[in-house]
Amino acid sequence: MEWYLALAFLLSLILVLMAIGTPIAMAFLAANVVGAWYFMGGGSGVIQMLDNGFGALSSFALVPIPLFLLMGELFFRTGLGMRMFNAIDRLMGRVPGRLSYVTVAGGTAFATLSGSSMGSTALMGSLLVPEMERRGYKKHMAIGPILGTGGLAIIIPPSALAVLLGTLARIDIGALLIAGIVPGLVLAGLYMLTIYIQTRIDPDAAPAYSLEAVPAGEKLILVLRDILPMISVMAIIIALMLSGFATPSEAAAFGALGVILLAVIFRCLTFTAFQESVVGALKVTLMAYLIVFGSATFSQLLAFSGASSGLIQWAIGLELSPVLMLLTMFAVLLVLGTFMEQISIMMLTVPFFFPLAETLGFDLIWFGVVVLLALEISFSTPPLGLLLFVMKGVAPPGTSMRTIYMAAIPFILCSMLLVGLMIAFPGIATWLPGMM
């Protein structure tokens, strides 16, 4: 069978199964079984395919996923996240658009510690949007920053999605996690610049209101008690990986232990909170492991059928410049993001895009950050970005989808600008991993 027929056969089978409501992991597994039976010699091929899949699940590189998820669940359910938000809120003072800046600053820290875009968006949307509307903020000033910072959880470590991408693409997970730090901070800075421009253009979008001044001594206490301990968890994780003292898996274990110790110190670790955190992390972990199983076997099936090598040779034969090829792959990720969720997109594209990127001479860690940025943008891209519907679910009654779409656009443009900066200056993503 020609490579393009094999590729069309496998992808069509997966898409049909997904269209009739089959869970993504099960759709890939069913397609793999059919493909292995046809391309790899019947029952013996299916057995070999299953053996390969179980071998992928035994990878030590997957260990950070449940630990990072547990860390984020504990941070959310014990209330440590709200302590940090409240402290940042009081420290901002009478700055115009203060709550929008608080959303970016606090949301970046929360996204960093939680690693969950949906969790970050749901928490901030349910707590901050009603409060900002009560204080006279226009809806786009409340909704836009939350959608933007929710996506930062994909980029800034610890990111379970980055660990999954590194596992599927077979690249250095520690380097990929570290590579997201500088782009994530640059993006947060662009978000703050966007808010500043919005408040200058329309001062009524974020009206000023009276606020009791916080004495300098109390500000110091807020930083030392409610902010520094939380941020130190992330700093320790990064330092452990940068120094080479710990692998990403070991650093993730230190991070989860650090959040547990903080919850004990602040007397907010209850049995209910711990139980809910473990159950929440376990559910997502099982889904992720099933996805790794399906994706690993799918990649091998593509290689065995000749579909992946044939597609790469065809793409190279187009004689597009590397930048144009990169933009084409980026556009494919954005289009897929309008009707698929991020993990499904990775499963479909990683087996093709990373070998192609390597052939084009791209640094795979840098390319991994570009892919994560594309996934981050697609998370909030109209009309079907997942974070848009999360926001709709927690926003005050009467908030239209059009309002949410319009609020998201300036922050999507910030992410696009960051991609352009990374193409022009790759060191934004490669500098910090180079220090490892």
Side-chain angles (χ1 to χ4, degrees), residues 48-350:
Q48 181 182 344
M49 182 268 296
L50 293 175
D51 287 341
N52 293 338
F54 285 115
L57 289 181
S58 64
S59 171
F60 185 65
L62 292 174
V63 175
I65 294 178
L67 293 173
F68 281 150
L69 291 171
L70 177 62
M71 176 180 164
E73 289 280 342
L74 286 166
F75 184 72
F76 170 69
R77 296 183 186 277
T78 58
L80 290 174
M82 286 314 302
R83 292 183 70 99
M84 185 175 63
F85 265 118
N86 292 334
I88 294 173
D89 182 26
R90 298 189 64 191
L91 289 171
M92 291 294 293
R94 295 185 174 90
V95 176
R98 176 177 64 91
L99 287 178
S100 295
Y101 289 113
V102 168
T103 300
V104 173
T108 299
F110 182 78
T112 299
L113 288 165
S114 71
S116 170
S117 296
M118 288 186 291
S120 179
T121 301
L123 175 69
M124 294 190 295
S126 59
L127 294 178
L128 295 182
V129 173
E131 175 67 14
M132 294 167 80
E133 284 198 356
R134 187 178 70 82
R135 296 183 184 273
Y137 281 64
K138 292 185 178 179
K139 285 188 176 181
H140 71 273
M141 294 297 295
I143 294 172
I146 294 174
L147 290 172
T149 54
L152 285 175
I154 297 177
I155 305 170
I156 301 180
S159 166
L161 199 65
V163 174
L164 189 57
L165 176 64
T167 303
L168 297 178
R170 299 181 182 179
I171 58 178
D172 188 331
I173 293 173
L176 181 59
L177 288 170
I178 296 298
I181 296 173
V182 175
L185 295 177
V186 170
L187 189 56
L190 291 174
Y191 288 164
M192 289 192 172
L193 179 61
T194 299
I195 294 170
Y196 174 78
I197 294 172
Q198 288 176 326
T199 55
R200 296 288 291 181
I201 294 174
D202 183 9
D204 293 333
Y209 55 90
S210 60
L211 182 71
E212 183 181 348
V214 180
E218 190 174 345
K219 286 184 177 180
L220 181 61
I221 292 174
L222 287 172
V223 172
L224 295 178
R225 184 190 64 194
D226 295 339
I227 297 178
L228 190 60
M230 319 305 175
I231 299 300
S232 64
V233 174
M234 181 197 72
I236 290 171
I237 290 174
I238 293 171
L240 288 172
M241 290 191 291
L242 273 177
S243 65
F245 181 79
T247 65
S249 302
E250 294 162 346
F254 278 115
L257 178 61
V259 174
I260 291 174
L261 292 176
L262 284 178
V264 171
I265 292 171
F266 287 104
R267 298 181 180 179
C268 55
L269 181 62
T270 64
F271 177 77
T272 301
F274 185 79
Q275 182 183 42
E276 290 176 347
S277 300
V278 171
V279 171
L282 179 61
K283 288 179 179 178
V284 182
T285 298
L286 289 175
M287 178 189 70
Y289 275 42
L290 281 173
I291 286 168
V292 169
F293 181 93
S295 179
T297 52
F298 183 64
S299 299
Q300 293 170 356
L301 189 59
L302 288 174
F304 194 88
S305 65
S308 55
S309 59
L311 180 64
I312 291 171
Q313 292 300 321
W314 173 79
I316 294 173
L318 293 176
E319 297 184 353
L320 295 176
S321 68
V323 172
L324 282 178
M325 189 65 73
L326 174 69
L327 294 177
T328 301
M329 290 189 283
F330 193 85
V332 169
L333 292 171
L334 292 185
V335 171
L336 291 176
T338 62
F339 62 90
M340 294 176 66
E341 48 87 27
Q342 277 58 37
I343 295 178
S344 303
I345 296 171
M346 287 198 305
M347 293 180 70
L348 284 174
T349 58
V350 165

Side-chain angles (χ1 to χ4, degrees), residues 165 333 346 353-354 366-376:
L165 176 64
L333 292 171
M346 287 198 305
F353 283 7
F354 275 82
W366 172 85
F367 181 71
V369 177
V370 172
V371 170
L372 289 174
L373 273 169
L375 296 177
E376 183 265 333

